Amino acid sequence: MTRTQKQTDRTGETPEKQSRGAGSAVQSVDRAVSVLEILARLGEAGVTEIADELEVHKSTAFRLLGVLENRGLVAQAKDRGKYFLGAGVLRLAGAAAVRLDISQEGVPVCRELADELGETVNIAVLDDNAAVNIMQARGAASVTAQNWLGRRTPLHATSSGKVLLAHLPPTLREGLLARTLPRFTERTITGTAALRAELEAVVEQGYAFALEELELGLAATASPVRAHDGKVIGAISVSGPVYRLEPDRLPELAKRTVAAAADLSRRMGYGF
């Protein structure tokens, strides 16, 4: 048996062939990004212009444009045959801008709240079917706390997740509630009816609690952050061990979290 035969995988492809395939895929991605950059620079362009810019055959440029058009990243003016950036680019840019703005504007808010309360403060945003923490500040009492930055956490078992879930459009919210909800501790709410009732309370009172629902010994409270149009774009939370976040302290923590979320919402343009 030759070395090439020994090195074929289950698909029957040699490493050399796999490498060529990977290289071709990377080249296609690079060209697709170049198409978007060309359209951003020129405003609009036809297939021939794009092919010339990329130094590829017109058929290659046409295929790239077809893929991008299917994903809404480019659109075509049918009367002129020209392509321009589509609404999909604006959607992606808008999502990136929101995350960038809320994390930047949230820095002083999080630090002030963490200093005041001595606990860990996070800002989370919705990422598909999870909450992802994009900003974190630690107070004096939380120096040994775990790092939540960048972590995806379940919507139904965290205070930030409940806030984000509660303010989703009804159709999206019910779609997520219809899924099987995993249990992390004995206190995790996995029943649809019980969770729905809690989410209604979250909207009514303006904050959410999570008491040992994701991890034993962990408690948290969170409040919604709104954009200029009133849409909930994130949640700010305070978390810590249950022996510090005791039941008689939680109402005050919730009150301060609501105030911090309102401050951050104003920074995001809400209320003006």
Side-chain angles (χ1 to χ4, degrees):
M1 182 179 290
T2 66
R3 175 177 294 184
T4 299
Q5 289 173 322
K6 290 180 180 179
Q7 291 181 343
T8 55
D9 68 359
R10 294 178 181 178
T11 65
E13 292 183 351
T14 64
E16 291 80 2
K17 186 174 181 180
Q18 293 173 14
S19 177
R20 288 196 298 272
S24 177
V26 171
Q27 184 182 53
S28 295
V29 172
D30 181 71
R31 286 173 173 173
V33 173
S34 295
V35 170
L36 297 177
E37 292 176 339
I38 291 168
L39 294 178
R41 173 165 48 86
L42 299 180
E44 63 177 21
V47 176
T48 301
E49 293 173 88
I50 292 172
D52 289 344
E53 288 267 355
L54 295 176
E55 297 182 349
V56 298
H57 194 275
K58 285 178 59 176
S59 61
T60 300
F62 187 77
R63 285 196 299 271
L64 290 169
L65 287 163
V67 172
L68 294 171
E69 186 174 18
N70 288 337
R71 301 305 293 267
L73 297 176
V74 304
Q76 185 179 18
K78 303 298 183 181
D79 57 332
R80 300 191 307 278
K82 299 281 189 177
Y83 288 86
F84 53 90
L85 293 178
V89 172
L90 297 178
R91 182 181 68 251
L92 295 175
V98 166
R99 290 196 180 194
L100 181 61
D101 289 346
I102 194 173
S103 61
Q104 288 180 339
E105 295 294 338
V107 170
V109 177
C110 284
R111 287 178 177 169
E112 180 179 351
L113 187 60
D115 289 343
E116 177 185 347
L117 301 178
E119 304 295 348
T120 300
V121 178
N122 281 284
I123 295 176
V125 296
L126 186 68
D127 186 15
D128 193 16
N129 61 347
V132 61
N133 294 288
I134 62 172
M135 170 63 199
Q136 178 173 279
R138 294 180 179 178
S142 62
V143 291
T144 59
Q146 60 182 299
N147 183 16
W148 293 96
L149 192 61
R151 283 187 56 180
R152 288 169 55 86
T153 56
L155 297 177
H156 70 290
T158 60
S159 59
S160 292
K162 290 178 186 178
V163 167
L164 297 171
L165 186 57
H167 291 88
L168 280 176
T171 302
L172 292 178
R173 182 175 63 248
E174 290 302 315
L176 291 173
L177 291 179
R179 301 180 180 183
T180 300
L181 302 175
R183 181 179 297 280
F184 299 96
T185 74
E186 292 182 355
R187 305 195 66 168
T188 307
I189 302 174
T190 58
T192 301
L195 183 56
R196 187 182 290 113
E198 177 146 348
L199 296 179
E200 291 174 357
V202 169
V203 173
E204 182 177 347
Q205 63 197 17
Y207 57 84
F209 289 133
L211 306 177
E212 297 188 286
E213 296 171 43
L214 179 64
E215 294 182 8
L216 292 176
L218 179 68
T221 181
S223 296
V225 177
R226 299 179 184 274
H228 68 281
D229 58 359
K231 181 181 178 182
V232 172
I233 56 173
I236 186 168
S237 67
V238 176
S239 62
V242 291
Y243 66 81
R244 286 205 305 264
L245 274 64
E246 299 175 338
D248 58 348
R249 190 188 180 200
L250 284 175
E252 179 59 28
L253 291 177
K255 180 180 177 181
R256 287 297 302 119
T257 305
V258 169
D263 183 16
L264 181 50
S265 296
R266 283 191 294 271
R267 291 171 177 265
M268 297 299 294
Y270 180 63
F272 291 96

